[in-house]
Amino acid sequence: MTRLTSRFLIDLLLRRTDAAGGFATILASGDAQSGVILIQCRARGIAGPLLERRFSMTGAYMWEDVGALAGDDEAARTAYLDRRKKADPDLWIVELDIADAPRLVAEWAELA
C-alpha cells in the first residue's frame, strides 16, 4: 500500500481548512516524507483538542488527543509543543482555527 507523504497531507489539510472558511498555519515543518503530525485545534482563538497522528499496532494511523499531556492553559501547551519539537525535529505542528476542527481533521484523516 502506498502511503501519502506528510507534506502532501499537510498541504491537503491547509487547502481543506481554507475551503471550509477556516485558517490554518504551519507552526513547525517536519520531515516531508514521514514526519509525525500534531494539530492544535482552535475555534475563534480558543484552544481545543491537541491531536497527534500516531502509527498503531494494527499498521494503520490513528489520532490521539494529547491535550491532557499538554495541560489546559496556553503557557503549558506552548511548553509542551516546544518540548515535542526538541524531542522530534521531524515533527509537523499545524494550527487550525475553524469551528469543529476535530471533525475536519477526522474527515481529512479518512482520505489518508
Side-chain angles (χ1 to χ4, degrees):
M1 179 174 132
T2 303
R3 295 198 189 273
L4 301 174
T5 67
S6 295
R7 180 69 217 204
F8 179 84
L9 293 170
I10 296 295
D11 288 343
L12 180 61
L13 178 62
L14 296 177
R15 285 192 300 273
R16 287 182 65 88
T17 304
D18 184 57
F23 176 78
T25 188
I26 297 172
L27 300 177
S29 296
D31 180 73
Q33 293 300 310
S34 60
V36 172
I37 301 171
L38 196 145
I39 300 175
Q40 167 63 64
C41 298
R42 293 188 179 277
R44 295 189 175 141
I46 298 169
L50 189 59
L51 305 173
E52 185 170 338
R53 183 176 183 241
R54 297 186 177 193
F55 202 62
S56 73
M57 299 294 276
T58 64
Y61 285 103
M62 60 179 241
W63 286 91
E64 183 177 355
D65 186 350
V66 296
L69 299 173
D72 290 334
D73 64 73
E74 205 60 42
R77 280 183 177 242
T78 300
Y80 176 79
L81 295 175
D82 289 343
R83 285 193 309 274
R84 289 289 285 123
K85 282 192 289 190
K86 266 187 203 166
D88 184 0
D90 294 333
L91 176 71
W92 288 87
I93 301 175
V94 178
E95 183 172 288
L96 303 183
D97 198 333
I98 187 170
D100 205 6
R103 181 189 53 76
L104 180 77
V105 170
E107 290 173 359
W108 163 75
E110 288 179 12
L111 302 173

